[in-house]
């Protein structure tokens, strides 16, 4: 069995190069971050241009005070179950989250989720960031060279495609290069945020800010507020695809749990609130429109170009763990494909979407809430599996074994309880709140849609997993079985 | 060279070492029940701060 495990390990490592750094479990001595380091990492992630975009989009629905409330409530909800589902187990075992999903969804089930929910979520975000680069650069061009490129012009697409190409280049160089760029970008974005804050304080009164009307609200005030809460909850849960891969680098559970929650929450709130205030002051939700009126032609253009570059490095950061997940989830299929070509493959759809800048901006909220529906249900199932059914224990060798040698093979590599939980949880979300038609159930006004979707996902998982697997002794749900198994096999 | 040696430490060795560490870990859980409830409680409290902001 040991030989089989080594074979599995070599398979996991096939194609591993300095760019991808592989996916083997990290040992205690290889963990590099304490609580302070990890707080810094999370603050750097959260103070990104997408926070301005979310703040600006929230201003479409609600005014300043309601917006702050919606951001606090939404992020508190979304981040809490996202962190429980991704950070805790990855920190404990030193394993990134997609390998740890195998007990919940099965090897094939994880592949299905990675190639649908995760991939679409990350492709959407990266195409949006690239379009934002296009808009930022065309704004600079209009201001400096007197051109007249509109926010939906072909030049926006051209610069978005250049941004994607540069993101690909950075990503193909690996996490070390990404980290090198982020060392400059993260402090720079903090400076930009402070700059926006100072400008707002100097040029806008609190009274004007608190009385500013939302930019494009619906008629129903209560619906506007709940949509803003749900949108922010969706943003909170959308951190899922990257957090586990980062948390495994922390040394202790305390260095992972609170820094990820506090770092993401506080930094997100600050950047989003500044973004919302800027949007309400200037009457436009697009962050690339704010900088020239705020900073003037020279400083504004410089900030816009900086934001453009920050978007490129943000894209590389979020895509890194997704491409790593794609490689693992594909089994043998993509294991021999070179890292740079795998990264190039990822960017094909974002490049196509870059031809539709207006569509991507208009559908931003829809995209975030829809992906949030599935991610929330996924988180519910993961929490039920890890905390309730397994009591925080998994058989690590079984995570890496193939086919029926693994306790997590289930039926044909799919844990149907997990898949069923995601489908039912997401369906429940759409029943309470349909982001396409904007139809809502009265419950939506009180409990949002993400939270009940996660709870329903968890309950369905518990019932189905008990019925289909635990009662039949399938899936290694029996408490305490995992540790002796490691002793036996290793 | 030291870094290469680290990377060459195979899956079996890593799993064995992690299992030993986890078995010797007195807490035996990533999060204790009290820490888990504290986390949930703090999250609820922060959400209530949002409700308070709305009510002001």
């Amino acid at each position: 069995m040991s030989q089989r495990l080594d074979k599995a390990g070599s398979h996991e490592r096939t194609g591993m190069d300095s760019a991808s750094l592989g996916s083997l479990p990290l040992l205690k001595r290889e963990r590099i971050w304490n609580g302070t380091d990890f707080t810094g990492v999370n603050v750097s992630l959260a103070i990104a241009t997408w926070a301005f975009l979310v703040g600006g989009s929230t201003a479409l629905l609600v005014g300043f005070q309601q917006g702050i409330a919606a951001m606090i409530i939404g992020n508190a909800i979304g981040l809490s179950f996202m962190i429980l589902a991704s950070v805790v187990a990855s920190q404990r075992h030193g394993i990134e989250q997609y390998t740890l999903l195998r007990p919940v969804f099965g090897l094939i089930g994880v592949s299905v989720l990675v190639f649908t929910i995760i991939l679409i979520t990350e492709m959407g975000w990266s195409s949006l960031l690239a379009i934002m680069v296009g808009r930022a650069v065309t704004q600079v061009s209009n201001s400096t060279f007197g051109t007249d490129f509109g926010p939906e012009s072909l030049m926006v697409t051209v610069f978005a495609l250049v941004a994607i190409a540069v993101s690909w280049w950075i990503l193909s160089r690996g996490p070390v290069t990404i980290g090198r760029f982020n060392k400059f970008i993260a402090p720079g974005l903090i400076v930009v945020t402070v700059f926006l804050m100072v400008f707002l304080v100097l040029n806008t009164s609190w009274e004007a800010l608190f009385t500013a009307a939302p930019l494009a609200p619906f008629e129903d005030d209560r619906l506007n507020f709940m949509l803003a809460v749900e949108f922010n909850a969706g943003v909170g849960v959308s951190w899922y695809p990257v957090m586990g891969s980062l948390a495994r680098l922390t040394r202790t559970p305390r260095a992972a749990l609170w820094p990820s929650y506090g770092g993401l929450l506080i930094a997100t709130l600050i950047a989003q609130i500044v973004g919302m205030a800027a949007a309400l002051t200037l009457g436009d939700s697009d962050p690339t429109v704010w900088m020239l009126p705020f900073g003037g032609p020279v400083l504004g253009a410089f900030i816009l170009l900086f934001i453009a570059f920050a978007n490129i490095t943000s894209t590389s950061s979020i895509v890194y763990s997704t491409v790593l997940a794609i490689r693992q989830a594909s089994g043998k299929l993509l294991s021999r494909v070179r890292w740079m070509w795998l990264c190039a493959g990822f960017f094909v759809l974002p490049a196509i979407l870059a031809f539709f800048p207006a569509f991507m901006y208009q559908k931003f909220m829809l995209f975030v809430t829809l992906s949030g529906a599935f991610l929330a249900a996924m988180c519910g199932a993961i929490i039920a599996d890890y905390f309730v059914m397994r009591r925080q224990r998994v058989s690590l060798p079984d995570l890496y074994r193939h086919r029926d040698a693994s306790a997590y093979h289930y039926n044909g590599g799919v844990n149907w309880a997990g898949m069923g939980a995601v489908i039912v949880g997401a369906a429940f979300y759409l029943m309470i709140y349909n982001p396409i038609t904007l139809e809502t159930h009265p419950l939506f006004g009180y409990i949002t849609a993400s939270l009940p979707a996660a709870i329903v996902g968890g309950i369905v998982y518990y019932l189905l997993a008990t019925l289909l697997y635990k009662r039949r002794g399938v899936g290694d749900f029996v408490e305490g079985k995992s540790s002796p198994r490691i002793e036996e096999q290793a | 060279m030291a870094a290469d040696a680290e990377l060459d430490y195979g899956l079996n060795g890593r799993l064995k070492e992690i299992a030993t560490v986890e078995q010797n870990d007195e807490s035996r859980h990533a999060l204790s029940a009290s820490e888990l409830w504290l986390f949930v409680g703090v999250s609820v409290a922060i959400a209530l701060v949002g409700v308070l902001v709305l009510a002001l």
Side-chain angles (χ1 to χ4, degrees), chain A residues 29-40:
Chain A
R29 60 177 177 275
E30 292 169 333
R31 316 286 186 93
I32 52 174
W33 290 331
N34 60 25
T36 311
D37 297 330
F38 197 43
T39 303

Side-chain angles (χ1 to χ4, degrees), chain A residues 444-461:
Chain A
F444 179 66
Y446 300 95
I447 57 170
T448 73
S450 292
L451 186 62
I455 293 170
V456 167
I459 292 171
V460 170
Y461 181 81

Side-chain angles (χ1 to χ4, degrees), chain B residues 9-30:
Chain B
Y9 190 29
L11 181 65
N12 266 325
R14 284 170 179 269
L15 292 177
K16 195 172 181 181
E17 185 169 330
I18 290 169
T20 308
V21 171
E22 287 186 3
Q23 279 177 343
N24 292 338
D25 186 350
E26 284 177 7
S27 66
R28 300 197 71 214
H29 287 105

Side-chain angles (χ1 to χ4, degrees), chain A residues 49-253:
Chain A
T49 44
W50 49 62
F52 295 145
L53 198 61
V54 172
S57 299
T58 304
L60 291 170
L61 295 167
V62 288
F64 193 64
Q65 186 178 356
Q66 282 195 321
I68 292 175
M71 286 171 183
I72 296 173
I73 299 169
N75 278 294
I77 292 171
L79 286 175
S80 60
F81 55 78
M82 180 282 295
I83 283 171
L84 286 180
S86 63
V87 166
V88 179
S90 285
Q91 194 289 321
R92 170 72 172 175
H93 307 294
I95 297 171
E96 47 70 44
Q97 75 243 44
Y98 297 104
T99 303
L100 278 167
L101 284 186
R102 290 174 187 177
V104 197
F105 301 106
L107 184 62
I108 305 294
V110 174
S111 304
V112 171
L113 295 178
V114 165
F115 279 95
T116 53
I117 300 170
I118 304 294
L119 202 54
I120 290 168
T121 301
E122 296 306 291
M123 281 180 170
W125 277 105
S126 42
S127 110
L128 202 74
L129 290 174
I131 291 166
M132 206 168 150
V133 173
R135 286 193 167 186
V137 177
T138 50
Q139 290 268 356
V140 174
S141 170
N142 291 347
S143 158
T144 312
F145 304 112
T147 53
D148 188 27
F149 300 128
E152 282 124 45
S153 65
L154 186 64
M155 284 313 285
V156 170
T157 300
V158 169
F159 286 118
L161 292 175
V162 171
I164 286 173
V166 178
S167 299
W168 168 77
W169 180 80
I170 294 173
L171 189 61
S172 65
R173 312 286 293 179
V176 177
T177 308
I178 297 171
R180 208 168 281 158
F181 280 115
N182 279 341
K183 270 186 183 169
F184 301 99
I185 295 298
L189 281 169
I190 292 171
V191 171
V192 171
T193 307
V194 172
F195 163 77
L196 281 174
M197 281 170 85
V198 169
F199 184 90
L200 286 165
V201 168
L202 292 178
N203 293 280
T204 312
S205 68
W206 283 109
E207 192 188 349
L209 212 51
F210 275 91
T211 54
L215 305 179
F218 297 102
E219 281 181 10
D220 184 345
D221 284 346
R222 188 183 181 87
L223 177 67
N224 286 322
F225 177 70
M226 290 312 293
L227 290 179
V229 172
E230 188 53 52
F231 173 52
N232 279 275
V235 170
V237 82
S238 72
W239 288 107
Y240 177 81
V242 296
M243 286 312 292
S245 307
L246 297 173
R248 73 180 184 138
L249 290 159
T250 56
R251 290 180 191 141
T252 63

